[in-house]
Amino acid sequence: MANSTVLTGTRSPGGDEKQTSPEGSGPKRDREGHSARGSDFSELSRRISEAGLLRRRPLYYTVRFTAVGLALAGSVAAFLVLGDSWSQLFVAAALAVVFGQLGLAAHDLAHRQVFSRRRASEIGGLLVADVLLGMSYGWWMNKHTRHHANPNHEKKDPDVAPDIIVWSRRQARQAKGPARFVGKHQAALFFPLLTLEGLNLSFSSFKALRSPSLKRPVLEGTLLVAHFVVYFGGLFTLLSPGKALVFIAVHQGLFGLYLGSVFAPNHKGMPMIEEGTELDFLRRQVLTSRNVDGGALTDVFMGGLNYQIEHHLFPSMPTPALAKAQVITERYCAELGIPYCRSGLVASHRTALRHLRQVGAPLREAGR
């Protein structure tokens, strides 16, 4: 495909990733991906809509959110029963998983997968993100919306901003401060850095309260403070200071590792889009995303984000519809000759780490 030549990035050699082999070139199209019957995405959207995959699934989300709520209540009950004991570290680990699932729930609420009405989605998002997680719903939604609009774009996607880690050789050559030091060894440091992601989300949330782009800073600030008053108050009231600090380290560290393990396989190691590159919506989303193969456990662990290509194409599609959408989308991409990337979870992380090492090469070379 002609447009793929303008993308930067690396593919894993040796077949870690699976890509469909196009069987034909399909109808003739212009540079913007339009055919005689309209844009390529509009045709895919028509097929998805006719399959009924955009319908809300209230029963699914009722069961899923109830299960997460019960897990949270059970963890809190266990915390209260165990008292000042080192056994609380098992509760900390369990809460890390529960918090990860709450993060996935907030994600689905933000995309209006659960409720069709904006107000219901915002109320649910504020309760789950701010009250239960200690993360600003408004800040995260703004950041994630920009990511969806321009995934893996060097200048427009906040998820690949070179704050600490560099995602392209261009960023490596321009890196300064912490990114210049970390970038040299970022493949080895990637997973250790993920243990700080939970704390980073909370820190960034409080920092965002001063941003003019945040719609309800007073409300969100109040909810965030209430979360941490209960969180720290409960820990330091029931546990000794030493145990409380270790509990926080285990809980927040594993929570960050969980979130990072869910989000990192989806785009890291996929092509980066340079400034000035023009791609139609379908190709922009498909070429920069990777699906993660797996069974039911992978679906639960990743909350449906293992179907990242379909999620980016149809952000409001309910999670249980993504598997059927994947079959339709992959077949359609094969018709058009658009590479469609799939990989196992371990292989996807291997690809991401290999990419991090490769793009950090200019920093290592400069330090010799």
Side-chain angles (χ1 to χ4, degrees), residues 138-299:
W139 162 76
W140 181 85
M141 186 173 180
N142 177 275
K143 173 177 176 287
H144 195 61
T145 299
R146 288 184 286 133
H147 158 70
H148 264 262
N150 293 281
N152 273 21
H153 192 290
E154 286 189 89
K155 298 292 181 66
K156 299 178 181 179
D157 183 357
D159 286 356
V160 293
D163 298 324
I164 297 295
I165 293 178
V166 295
W167 304 102
S168 70
R169 285 178 176 256
R170 182 198 303 271
Q171 290 181 348
R173 287 190 291 268
Q174 299 173 351
K176 298 178 181 179
R180 187 168 185 83
F181 171 77
V182 173
K184 297 178 183 179
H185 316 288
Q186 60 186 16
L189 294 174
F190 182 66
F191 282 106
L193 286 172
L194 286 183
T195 62
L196 302 175
E197 183 59 21
L199 296 174
N200 177 57
L201 290 175
S202 296
F203 174 78
S204 298
S205 295
F206 277 103
K207 184 179 178 181
L209 295 176
R210 301 174 59 184
S211 172
S213 63
L214 195 66
K215 295 180 180 179
R216 302 179 181 85
V218 175
L219 173 60
E220 293 213 50
T222 302
L223 296 177
L224 289 172
V225 169
H227 167 86
F228 284 104
V229 166
V230 173
Y231 182 77
F232 290 124
L235 287 175
F236 285 96
T237 297
L238 197 61
L239 304 180
S240 65
K243 291 188 180 74
L245 290 173
V246 175
F247 185 102
I248 293 169
V250 172
H251 174 221
Q252 294 294 333
L254 292 180
F255 170 48
L257 191 61
Y258 181 10
L259 280 185
S261 297
V262 169
F263 284 91
N266 303 324
H267 298 282
K268 310 315 179 194
M270 295 302 291
M272 298 283 288
I273 300 180
E274 293 180 344
E275 186 71 25
T277 299
E278 294 185 6
L279 292 172
D280 67 299
F281 178 77
L282 177 66
R283 289 164 178 81
R284 183 166 68 249
Q285 302 299 339
V286 174
L287 294 176
T288 58
S289 303
R290 176 197 297 112
N291 277 13
V292 177
D293 290 336
L297 288 178
T298 302
D299 290 353

Side-chain angles (χ1 to χ4, degrees), residues 84-147:
D84 189 18
S85 166
W86 285 109
S87 299
Q88 293 282 15
L89 298 186
F90 292 105
V91 177
L95 268 179
V97 177
V98 173
F99 268 44
Q101 287 294 315
L102 287 172
L104 293 170
H107 171 272
D108 288 7
L109 286 163
H111 282 295
R112 298 176 68 179
Q113 296 176 16
V114 184
F115 304 110
S116 59
R117 295 183 179 276
R118 182 182 300 275
R119 184 171 179 79
S121 299
E122 288 183 348
I123 293 174
L126 288 169
L127 289 174
V128 174
D130 291 73
V131 177
L132 298 181
L133 278 182
M135 178 187 77
S136 167
Y137 174 76
W139 162 76
W140 181 85
M141 186 173 180
N142 177 275
K143 173 177 176 287
H144 195 61
T145 299
R146 288 184 286 133
H147 158 70

